[in-house]
Amino acid sequence: MDTDSSDLFGPLLDKPVAAVVPVLVPLPVPGPYSYAVPEGLTVVPGSVVQVPVGPRQMIGVVWDGADDSTLDPKKLRPITLAFDCPPLSKEMRDFVDWVSAYTLSPPGFVARMAIRAPAALDPEPMVEGLRFIGGEPSRLTPARTRVLDLAKEQEAPWTRSGLAHAAGVSLSVVDGLIKQGVFDTIFLPPPPVVARPDPEYTAPRIEGPQKGAAEEIVASVSAGGFAASLIDGVTGSGKTEVYFEAIAQALRQDKQVLILLPEIALTSSFLDRFEQRFGAKPAEWHSDLSPRIREKVWRGVVTGEVRVVAGARSALFLPFEDLGLIVIDEEHDPAYKQEDRVFYNARDMAVVRARIGDFPIVLVSATPSVESQVNGLSGRYTTVHLPTRFGDAALPDLHLVDMRRHPPERGGFLSPILLRGMKKALERGEQSLLFLNRRGYAPLTLCRVCGHRFQCPQCSSWLVEHRFRNQIQCHQCGYHEHTPEACPECGTFDHLVACGPGVERIAEEVEKHFPEARTIVMSSDLLGGVKRLRMELDAIAKGDVDIVIGTQLVAKGHNFPLMTLVGIVDADLGLSNGDPRAAERTFQLLSQVTGRAGRTGLKSHGLIQTFQPQHPVMQAIVSGDAGAFYEREIAEREKAILPPFGRLASLIVSADTRADAETHARGLRAAAPRVTGISVLGPAEAPLALVRGRHRFRLLVHGRRNSDMQAFLKAMMSAGPKVRGTVQIQLDIDPQSFL
């Protein structure tokens, strides 16, 4: 930039410009590099710049820190370019530093998440427009008359294509008028990516308990400053409308708002509801957006033009100009955990960002996480309860189906009780939902003759049959092959058998029992991607489908007006692993799925197939006594010193050979400092011991709540063996997955 940034973007100068500045680059290094500032170039902390790193040019950020007066600027490589965009704020830089220190990730990797739209760093080019200057063309036609009438009626400048579209004429008609001198060419700013939302566009649709809850949340936003609120409401209780009022209040205060959603790419219904309330949709931010839209959203956020963003977890690192409220919908959802390069939980980091920025945050869920429940009970969060559904809608009647007493017919997986319920729903013209959190046709294929099991050649996992695609596939690395006709071990034809059900197999069983029903399978691995899934969700909402068979995609807050029966095919599935959160996850998932029924007031039912009807999770769901479940789960966590009463960190050591991975893991264990209150478990082979051809060993570090886990891990890594050869270490603070 040729001029002072404070002149362009307000008083953003944190300290005087120096001849040498630290620049954070997206490399796995512990801190910034020093660069010289060329004469005539002005940068401040937060300026986005381009710098040489070895033979490459990389985008970096001028960072905070004292200038090193011992460095000679003439001996340093200079900054190549300073981009014409507002600097990252001090608040954002502090947030990046905090996330880096907490997750033990290189700060450059964290900062990179804030500048992931490089094409947006320069301003968008101006758009060519037209201004009516009067006069008449030499020849008037009906088409030209329509254009002129419109231009005289609305004197504001037009784009060439916009004027042609509004007048219902071809571009050649407008071009002819330009040649006749009727219009003058001017340049206009590019159109905004979304319109500005209006907090007064429509009156809120809230009543009874929702009104009181909204008033409480709005008061928190009005007061300003950091405050964390938890909206704990049953499915269909109007939680969205309540936090819409908090958003409206933040907009009245001219603040920007971030709404985090676990599956924003699928929730087109949420975007429609937002538009009905505020007159415009929020800007979206997720991986399925085109690069062009992502650039426009990023630029609009950093300049303040975009006021509300609804996004996936990565939206948390957008550099807002003046963020004043964060809403985390479905705050319990595991999708908020990122497990790639920088491992972080967006829910927890969002609370940190709100605290650093000193503004309120609202967490929302029908089944809050144990961590949020404990924060509510301890007073760190203000809990707002919504115990009843909005309007006259009632919660579904839930019943356990004991599969030992009511088994399915031979070769099937649906009990007679569930099939009768589906038949009655069909006769009433209502919808049924069958939930099974297992993709594909069957999780295992084996040979009846020799017992050969089809395993991934690169992973320690079975190949899952996908009959719709005629493939067997690994869900860890993506390896796939055509479903064989003969056993590769013994060569026998027609003796391969599918073991266990996936959603495709359940669809086959449904087709057998209800051949006339309109059936649809919802699964993330089906062809067509997000666009197809959105269309299918719309079809379900409109009643164009009778029976839905789906994975956890169907549990993401969708509203299906005609859905009156929900059947859980295998409720025990999530309980059959060593995850300490297994009971909590199962309770949340099954509660969310059964909550899809009866949201518009129709009498509804939930049938839960289980071989463990006495399990506390099953009893909590069917009784509706969520409080008793959380009380028991919290007590067990506290007794075992598990989160949130203790701390966990996971280290996965992987290498091309088993010996290298095990040797390095044992070396790390031996280097662990002896600290009271922190222990190291392992190393042991990870449950998925082989992934993508790499052997994996796991160390689990367990400490008390006040333990300095980061210092312990730093000391262990520093004293441990140096990473050599193909060895890699994956470090995860507060792990959610134990595979």
Side-chain angles (χ1 to χ4, degrees), residues 210-233:
Q210 291 80 18
K211 191 171 184 180
E215 289 172 352
E216 191 170 344
I217 298 294
V218 167
S220 174
V221 176
S222 300
F226 173 76
S229 302
L230 172 64
I231 302 178
D232 178 2

Side-chain angles (χ1 to χ4, degrees), residues 135-149:
E136 294 286 339
S138 58
R139 184 170 63 89
L140 268 177
T141 64
R144 286 183 169 183
T145 301
R146 289 201 302 274
V147 173
L148 292 173
D149 289 345

Side-chain angles (χ1 to χ4, degrees), residues 350-497:
V351 175
V352 172
R353 182 161 189 189
R355 184 177 286 280
I356 290 174
D358 197 28
F359 56 77
I361 182 170
V362 178
L363 299 92
V364 187
S365 179
T367 53
S369 62
V370 168
E371 288 83 351
S372 294
Q373 288 278 18
V374 171
N375 283 332
L377 292 171
S378 66
R380 284 189 287 272
Y381 294 173
T382 299
T383 304
V384 178
H385 293 283
L386 290 172
T388 59
R389 282 189 159 180
F390 183 77
D392 299 324
L395 289 165
D397 294 329
L398 302 180
H399 303 278
L400 296 176
V401 178
D402 188 341
M403 297 295 280
R404 299 167 301 181
R405 297 178 56 193
H406 306 284
E409 64 182 42
R410 185 176 178 83
F413 301 93
L414 304 178
S415 71
I417 293 176
L418 180 52
L419 290 171
R420 281 199 300 270
M422 295 169 66
K423 182 179 179 182
K424 290 178 181 178
L426 273 172
E427 291 170 349
R428 294 192 300 266
E430 296 167 357
Q431 293 173 322
S432 300
L433 167 64
L434 298 182
F435 170 78
L436 176 62
N437 203 20
R438 188 184 276 148
R439 293 176 288 160
Y441 183 84
L444 171 65
T445 301
L446 56 79
C447 174
R448 278 200 193 99
V449 177
C450 70
H452 173 75
R453 298 184 176 195
F454 287 83
Q455 184 173 341
C456 176
Q458 304 176 118
C459 305
S460 51
S461 60
W462 307 119
L463 294 178
V464 177
E465 181 180 358
H466 289 259
R467 192 158 291 188
F468 290 178
R469 299 204 300 263
N470 192 32
Q471 287 182 349
I472 49 177
Q473 178 182 343
C474 174
H475 285 175
Q476 302 303 321
C477 69
Y479 170 85
H480 60 86
E481 59 185 69
H482 284 294
T483 305
E485 296 179 359
C487 173
E489 190 74 20
C490 67
T492 307
F493 280 85
D494 300 327
H495 276 73
L496 301 181
V497 60

Side-chain angles (χ1 to χ4, degrees), residues 298-315:
W298 190 93
R299 186 79 191 184
V301 164
V302 76
T303 60
E305 181 184 79
V306 169
R307 306 310 295 171
V308 181
V309 173
R313 59 177 181 253
S314 60

Side-chain angles (χ1 to χ4, degrees), residues 10 112 408 434 446 565 648 672 674 685:
R112 177 180 175 271
L434 298 182
L446 56 79
L565 175 68
L648 293 175
R674 297 185 179 276
E685 275 194 313

Side-chain angles (χ1 to χ4, degrees), residues 145-167:
T145 301
R146 289 201 302 274
V147 173
L148 292 173
D149 289 345
L150 193 59
K152 293 172 184 176
E153 181 182 334
Q154 298 184 28
E155 296 181 0
W158 291 85
T159 62
R160 176 171 161 267
S161 59
L163 181 57
H165 178 74

Side-chain angles (χ1 to χ4, degrees), residues 56 69 74 137 145 156 269 341 399 438 505 535 549 555 649:
R56 296 179 295 164
S69 57
K74 295 179 181 178
T145 301
S269 60
R341 187 168 288 196
H399 303 278
R438 188 184 276 148
R505 194 168 192 177
M535 291 173 62
I549 301 120

